[in-house]
Amino acid sequence: MDRLTLKRPDDWHLHLRDGPEMAAVLADTARRFARAIVMPNLNPPLTTTQQALDYRQRILAARPHGSDFEPLMTLYLTDDTPPEEIARAKLSGHVHGVKLYPAGATTHSGAGVTRISRCFHALERMQDLGLPLLVHGESTDPAVDVFDRERAFIEETLGPLMERFPALKVVLEHITTRDAVHYVEVTGPNLAATITAHHLLMNRNALFMGGIRPHHYCLPVLKREEHREALVEAATSGNPKFFLGTDSAPHPRGAKEAACGCAGIYTAHAGIELYAIAFEEAGALDKLEGFAAEFGARFYGLPGNRDRITLAREEWTVPARVAFGSGELVPLRAGETIPWKLI
Ligand code: DOR
Ligand code: ZN
């Protein structure tokens, strides 16, 4: 197969940052995706509907000329998010989810949730209004091994939460383990999951190939090969509970190549092509369209995209660096070739 034509995909988990950094990365996403769920972990975080709407305007203004890319906004959940704010968010028509960052779990999560019980009133309102909860699913207990944090979160927090709010729509974001795949499979239709391209393509050995590799560091961290295999199986299964979310998370090069490097992998420059590689390796290119362009919209209750994109089997070399505001970033597979090209 030399050409692959798909309905235009959507990215159901994306970090765009703000200001000149956003302007630098937005075009990569807008070329490929019709819409993206945009994460609210700016500094300061987007805790109100008004902040999310203002951010939306800045994204719209930064779109490349002629682009009709649509940012789908999210709210950052805190211990103190009032139920009224949830209602405002839903009413705005532009906020499509509320993001739960356990406090301290990842980048800019300091204002996140310290105890989920503090959010019960907000969650109840979300359940009533059908506004999805988007979950960074990692335990923040320092005694839990970093590779076990997703499993611990599911057992200790998500499981009880789904029992308490049985009709709440939940997306378990960027899943990384067989345990998460299994939990999503056996739980009701109101629970779905996104999967990144980097977790489909790499296991934790990629963090230590001949030396420490800060550009492969993200959260949740890459896991063992058996977990990668479970993710590939889930993504290519045709089960609509699993859909595309790149978690493309740009950081300046210096913030990654540092004594304490930031978590996040930039993948938007090849946001659909990297998935095509993973699906082809699994012999499942025919399953890519559902995963990338249909299941997410269905879960969020949004219409499907009408236009299409085409990938040609044509090698191109990923640049070593990409301009990023006043600095630069290092994209995934920098300096290597990618066998699919967007035309
Ligand atoms: O690797 C990550 N980067 N994981 C996250 O949860 C946050 C993200 C970021 O914002 O950089
Ligand atoms: Zn993310």
Side-chain angles (χ1 to χ4, degrees), residues 134-176:
L134 316 181
V135 179
H136 184 107
E138 287 195 285
S139 165
T140 52
D141 179 348
V144 174
D145 189 278
V146 68
F147 293 101
D148 296 332
R149 286 183 186 169
E150 187 173 86
R151 192 180 61 204
F153 180 88
I154 292 170
E155 282 171 17
E156 290 158 17
T157 305
L158 187 59
L161 189 74
M162 300 295 299
E163 276 178 30
R164 190 174 187 107
F165 300 99
L168 181 65
K169 277 178 117 170
V170 177
V171 183
L172 186 52
E173 306 270 24
H174 43 54
I175 58 169
T176 61

Side-chain angles (χ1 to χ4, degrees), residues 14-300:
L14 175 67
H15 298 269
L16 280 178
R17 314 307 188 202
D18 209 347
E21 282 80 16
M22 168 175 66
V25 296
L26 180 58
D28 279 342
T29 292
R31 264 191 82 203
R32 292 167 176 80
F33 297 98
R35 299 169 287 200
I37 286 277
V38 181
M39 288 298 122
N41 64 331
L42 301 184
N43 193 15
L46 307 178
T47 56
T48 68
T49 305
Q50 192 55 53
Q51 288 170 327
L53 294 179
D54 292 346
Y55 183 39
R56 177 173 178 273
Q57 288 304 330
R58 298 197 292 281
I59 298 170
L60 293 177
R63 288 184 304 186
H65 188 70
S67 167
D68 54 6
F69 170 75
E70 195 187 337
L72 307 173
M73 309 315 293
T74 59
L75 220 59
Y76 185 115
L77 187 66
T78 73
D79 287 352
D80 305 313
T81 303
E84 297 73 34
E85 194 58 55
I86 300 295
R88 262 195 294 281
K90 175 73 183 179
L91 201 65
S92 77
H94 292 301
V95 176
H96 295 268
V98 178
K99 178 75 187 225
L100 163 60
Y101 286 108
T106 187
T107 310
H108 297 159
S109 63
V113 172
T114 63
R115 226 186 315 140
I116 193 69
S117 58
R118 302 213 157 113
C119 304
F120 281 172
H121 292 298
L123 293 168
E124 204 170 308
R125 190 65 64 90
M126 288 166 60
Q127 176 172 255
D128 290 347
L129 296 174
L131 189 60
L133 179 71
L134 316 181
V135 179
H136 184 107
E138 287 195 285
S139 165
T140 52
D141 179 348
V144 174
D145 189 278
V146 68
F147 293 101
D148 296 332
R149 286 183 186 169
E150 187 173 86
R151 192 180 61 204
F153 180 88
I154 292 170
E155 282 171 17
E156 290 158 17
T157 305
L158 187 59
L161 189 74
M162 300 295 299
E163 276 178 30
R164 190 174 187 107
F165 300 99
L168 181 65
K169 277 178 117 170
V170 177
V171 183
L172 186 52
E173 306 270 24
H174 43 54
I175 58 169
T176 61
T177 57
R178 181 180 292 283
D179 313 81
V181 167
H182 180 250
Y183 182 69
V184 172
E185 282 172 347
V186 301
T187 305
N190 51 318
L191 176 66
T194 57
I195 305 180
T196 77
H198 45 278
H199 289 103
L200 292 175
L201 291 168
M202 296 188 286
N203 63 38
R204 66 192 197 179
N205 287 345
L207 285 163
F208 308 108
M209 288 181 322
I212 196 151
R213 299 287 185 149
H215 298 292
H216 292 165
Y217 175 57
C218 63
L219 286 171
V221 71
L222 297 170
K223 302 296 193 299
R224 282 178 182 278
E225 176 63 9
E226 63 175 288
H227 295 293
R228 188 193 70 83
E229 285 166 8
L231 297 176
V232 171
E233 243 173 72
T236 60
S237 65
N239 183 340
K241 287 169 139 280
F242 301 100
F243 45 83
L244 184 155
T246 63
D247 198 13
S248 179
H251 289 277
R253 185 164 72 92
K256 299 275 303 166
E257 298 173 6
C260 184
C262 293
I265 301 181
Y266 186 68
T267 55
H269 62 296
I272 186 67
E273 297 89 327
L274 291 165
Y275 285 98
I277 295 172
F279 275 63
E280 182 163 44
E281 263 171 29
L285 273 178
D286 60 316
K287 295 291 201 299
L288 182 57
E289 186 170 65
F291 175 82
E294 291 171 355
F295 304 154
R298 206 181 296 167
F299 184 85
Y300 276 88

